[in-house]
Amino acid sequence: MLEKTDRMLTALNRWSLIGLLTAMVCIIFANVALRYLTNHSIIWAEEVARYLMVWMTFLGAGLALRRGGHVAITALPDALGPRAAMVLRGVVALLLLGFAALMVKIGVDYMGRMGRQLTPATRISFWWIYLAMPMGFALFAAHLALALVSYLRSGSFEPAERSAAPRGLA
């Protein structure tokens, strides 16, 4: 059951990032083309592209964790024995989960405070923009929790099965 949940979460996360990146590329391409062909640009394009990038950053953090994309210093765990290294990885995992939980709380608080303001060009609530932070950190914690046993044993996060990956991305 956990493996199926892991595969589904990873696939859903991956496809959401693909969708956000596709939208951002299309908006930027259309804006640049219009600017050079008609001497007019889309008023909201830069703003929307920026907010899509914010969403991609937060939603992609957990997936980057699963793929080993974050910076890691392994000198200390490599110098320790297997049991001590596992304990150290457990402490690191607890700190990461605690940090993610704290950031979810801070993100929700920030959404509440800033949600009454509207974005300049699109006039949507900043609540939707700041929602990326708690969602991204909750997703990060979920990815960490699903890969925790593998991380504690080997020190690496095994990505979910390749069958969950879109073609050409595994």
Side-chain angles (χ1 to χ4, degrees):
M1 181 67 177
L2 276 179
E3 288 180 25
K4 185 177 181 181
T5 303
D6 186 23
R7 285 194 310 271
M8 287 175 41
L9 178 68
T10 302
L12 181 64
N13 194 184
R14 197 174 281 133
W15 280 109
S16 67
L17 291 172
I18 291 169
L20 290 170
L21 181 62
T22 301
M24 190 175 82
V25 167
C26 289
I27 290 167
I28 291 171
F29 178 79
N31 193 39
V32 170
L34 282 171
R35 188 179 315 133
Y36 285 103
L37 294 174
T38 67
N39 215 19
H40 297 284
S41 58
I42 305 168
I43 295 170
W44 49 264
E46 188 265 331
E47 179 179 289
V48 171
R50 180 176 48 245
Y51 298 145
L52 289 173
M53 179 68 79
V54 167
W55 271 89
M56 284 191 305
T57 300
F58 282 108
L59 294 184
L63 198 56
L65 175 81
R66 295 305 302 273
R67 305 293 283 183
H70 291 286
V71 174
I73 300 171
T74 61
L76 181 59
D78 291 346
L80 298 173
R83 181 94 174 119
M86 185 184 296
V87 170
L88 179 61
R89 287 192 292 269
V91 169
V92 168
L94 285 174
L95 288 171
L96 284 172
L97 286 170
F99 178 72
L102 177 66
M103 294 308 291
V104 167
K105 181 189 179 319
I106 290 170
V108 169
D109 291 345
Y110 202 66
M111 283 170 44
R113 285 196 308 261
M114 303 303 287
R116 290 181 293 280
Q117 292 184 0
L118 301 177
T119 60
T122 56
R123 308 301 294 163
I124 62 171
S125 170
F126 269 105
W127 188 91
W128 292 103
I129 311 307
Y130 293 120
L131 177 63
M133 184 177 173
M135 282 189 66
F137 276 105
L139 193 55
F140 181 89
H143 278 293
L144 178 59
L146 289 168
L148 192 57
V149 173
S150 171
Y151 174 65
L152 290 176
R153 286 186 184 149
S154 67
S156 66
F157 296 96
E158 293 177 2
E161 271 185 41
R162 288 183 175 274
S163 63
R167 283 198 170 120
L169 294 178

